[in-house]
Amino acid sequence: MSAALLYQYDCSNALKYANDTSLTNQTMSFLDTLMGFSSNALSMIVSYDAFGNDTKSWGPPKTERDGVWELRSGGDSGSELRGGVPSNLTPDVTVCKNGNDKGCYKTVQEAVNTAPDNEWGRDGMGKTVITGSLAAGQPGIFTYNTATVGVLGDGFMARGLTIQNTAGAPTHQAVAFRLDGDLSIIENCEFLGNQDTLYAHSLRQFYKSCHIEGNVDFIFGNSAAIFQDCQISVRPRQENPEKGETNTVTAHGRTDPAQSTGFVFQNCLINGTEEYMALYRSNPSVHKNFLGRPWKEYSRTVFIRCNLEALVTPQGWLPWSGGFALETLYYGEFENSGPGSKSSQRVTWSSQIPSQHVDAYSVQNFIQGDEWIPTSS
C-alpha cells in the first residue's frame, strides 16, 4: 500500500508537465481523490497492525517524531541478519566488453537471448560494466527514464556488476540504476554517477557490500531500503569542483507518515573518492557534505554504526528549502564512528536514536528480511 500511494503520487506529479487540458485536470482531480482514499486505507492498515480489532484505539499514524517506533509483533528483531544473494548460485551467462565463444557476450541483449543455454564465464564489479549517458533536461527526458538500468519486477537479484551513468556537464539528474522491485537483493555491485546515481524508488530492497558513488542526492527514492556494509563515496562535481560545492548523500521521498519506507545504513563507510578528497583537503571550508536532505515531507533516513569520515559537515543534515519538512522528517544516528560522527554540532531537527529503539531498523524488522533474504554461507 505504501508503494501504491507512491505510484499515485508520481502519476499526479508527472501530469503537471502534460498539456493543460480538461482531461488532464479531470485525471489530476481523480488522482487527488484516490491518494486520499489510499492514505486513509494505509493508516487503517497501520492501526489494525498495532491494535487489531480494538478500533477505539485507532488513530492518525504516528512516527518517531511522536516517540513511536514500530516493532513487528512476534518476531526477534534484535540480531543482525547478514544475508545476501545465495552463495551457491552460478551465472547463466556473462557480459564483457570483448565477447567470445566461452559464454562471455558482448551486449546485455545477447546474454538475455542465450541465458537458457547456461553458458557462463567470469564477471564481477568493475569487470562487467553497463554504461549509459541519459540526463534529465533533454526534451521529453525526466529523471525516471534516465536510468542506465531500470528494474520492474519482484525478487530481483544482482551480484558482481558495475552500472554507471556518464552524463557530462552541465550537471542534471542522471540515474545509473532505478529499482522498483519488492524483495530485491543487490550484492557486491557498484553504482557510479553524479546527481541521482541510485534511484531506490519503491518497495523493499537490500544492498549488501556495494559501492555507490555520486554527489547530489545520489541515493534517493521512497523505498524501504537497507544498505549493509556498503562504501558510499562522494565524487567531485562536474563543473569547477575546486571552487567548492554542497553535496548530499541521500534524499528520501516519503510523503505520508504511514508509509513503511526509509533508508537504513548499517556498518557503512561514508567517504570521498581519492580525487574528491584531494580537493577537500586543499580547501575544506568550501566543500560541504551532508548525510541527507528531505525531498518530501516525511523523509526518513538513519545511519547505524557507520564510519563517517572527515568530509561529513558537523551539522550533518541539510534543509531542502527553508523550514520544509523539518518538523515531520526523521533523521537518526546511532553509535557512528569517525571524525564526521560527532553529534555536538548536529542540526536540532536530527536525532540520536535511543538504544532501546534501534532494533526498529534491523533487517528483520524494517524490511522483514528474515522471511526472504537467504543467509550467506
Side-chain angles (χ1 to χ4, degrees):
M1 183 58 75
S2 296
L5 186 57
L6 161 66
Y7 294 133
Q8 293 160 15
Y9 181 94
D10 282 355
C11 286
S12 179
N13 191 57
L15 279 172
K16 295 176 183 178
Y17 299 97
N19 292 331
D20 188 10
T21 66
S22 59
L23 183 59
T24 299
N25 293 334
Q26 291 173 21
T27 305
M28 291 188 70
S29 177
F30 164 76
L31 283 170
D32 287 343
T33 301
L34 181 60
M35 284 191 289
F37 288 149
S38 296
S39 178
N40 289 339
L42 181 58
S43 295
M44 292 170 69
I45 290 170
V46 171
S47 288
Y48 181 80
D49 188 53
F51 303 108
N53 293 325
D54 180 17
T55 55
K56 292 181 179 179
S57 298
W58 290 19
K62 294 183 178 180
T63 71
E64 297 94 333
R65 293 297 287 265
D66 305 304
V68 175
W69 281 262
E70 292 186 23
L71 281 175
R72 187 177 56 166
S73 60
D76 176 15
S77 62
S79 59
E80 277 195 12
L81 175 69
R82 306 179 71 85
V85 174
S87 58
N88 60 349
L89 288 185
T90 57
D92 294 307
V93 292
T94 301
V95 178
C96 55
K97 186 176 181 179
N98 299 313
N100 55 49
D101 59 357
K102 296 181 180 180
C104 188
Y105 295 90
K106 194 169 184 179
T107 67
V108 173
Q109 189 59 57
E110 289 178 2
V112 170
N113 292 341
T114 56
D117 295 335
N118 290 321
E119 298 178 3
W120 63 280
R122 293 181 178 272
D123 64 357
M125 189 191 305
K127 297 178 181 178
T128 301
V129 182
I130 305 175
T131 298
S133 59
L134 274 180
Q138 303 172 30
I141 301 297
F142 301 99
T143 303
Y144 185 87
N145 53 12
T146 64
T148 299
V149 173
V151 173
L152 293 168
D154 297 345
F156 177 77
M157 291 189 291
R159 181 169 61 191
L161 287 172
T162 291
I163 301 174
Q164 64 183 6
N165 190 313
T166 60
T171 301
H172 289 292
Q173 297 92 337
V175 176
F177 182 62
R178 186 194 72 243
L179 179 55
D180 286 271
D182 201 22
L183 316 180
S184 294
I185 302 172
I186 314 297
E187 185 176 18
N188 291 114
C189 286
E190 183 175 52
F191 306 102
L192 306 178
N194 289 287
Q195 182 172 352
D196 292 0
T197 302
L198 175 59
Y199 198 173
H201 188 232
S202 65
L203 299 163
R204 288 171 291 182
Q205 308 179 9
F206 180 63
Y207 296 82
K208 174 74 173 177
S209 302
C210 291
H211 175 214
I212 307 163
E213 196 171 294
N215 38 54
V216 179
D217 305 335
F218 63 98
I219 301 173
F220 75 113
N222 191 13
S223 62
I226 289 185
F227 301 83
Q228 191 178 88
D229 303 325
C230 293
Q231 181 176 338
I232 315 297
S233 300
V234 176
R235 61 159 47 174
R237 297 283 284 274
Q238 295 164 291
E239 299 175 272
N240 304 315
E242 69 282 350
K243 293 184 178 180
E245 73 289 290
T246 298
N247 298 316
T248 45
V249 174
T250 67
H252 191 258
R254 187 167 64 153
T255 61
D256 190 289
Q259 285 179 310
S260 57
T261 60
F263 291 157
V264 176
F265 294 84
Q266 299 176 346
N267 307 306
C268 294
L269 170 65
I270 314 301
N271 204 359
T273 65
E274 290 186 12
E275 184 183 5
Y276 180 81
M277 292 310 296
L279 286 167
Y280 176 83
R281 295 187 189 100
S282 68
N283 192 358
S285 63
V286 301
H287 298 281
K288 307 294 184 183
N289 299 282
F290 297 88
L291 298 174
R293 61 175 180 162
W295 185 22
K296 302 299 178 184
E297 296 92 327
Y298 293 92
S299 181
R300 174 162 60 177
T301 302
V302 300
F303 287 80
I304 298 172
R305 299 187 180 97
C306 292
N307 184 352
L308 310 183
E309 289 294 345
L311 79 166
V312 176
T313 300
Q315 288 75 21
W317 306 86
L318 182 71
W320 185 272
S321 177
F324 171 75
L326 300 189
E327 296 183 1
T328 50
L329 59 75
Y330 186 74
Y331 287 160
E333 299 177 58
F334 181 79
E335 291 186 354
N336 293 320
S337 60
S341 66
K342 297 177 183 178
S343 61
S344 59
Q345 297 183 50
R346 287 294 195 257
V347 293
T348 57
W349 36 271
S350 69
S351 304
Q352 294 296 310
I353 303 169
S355 59
Q356 67 270 30
H357 296 304
V358 72
D359 288 346
Y361 308 106
S362 69
V363 178
Q364 294 95 323
N365 192 74
F366 198 71
I367 57 173
Q368 300 78 53
D370 53 322
E371 299 177 1
W372 57 275
I373 300 175
T375 302
S376 296
S377 59

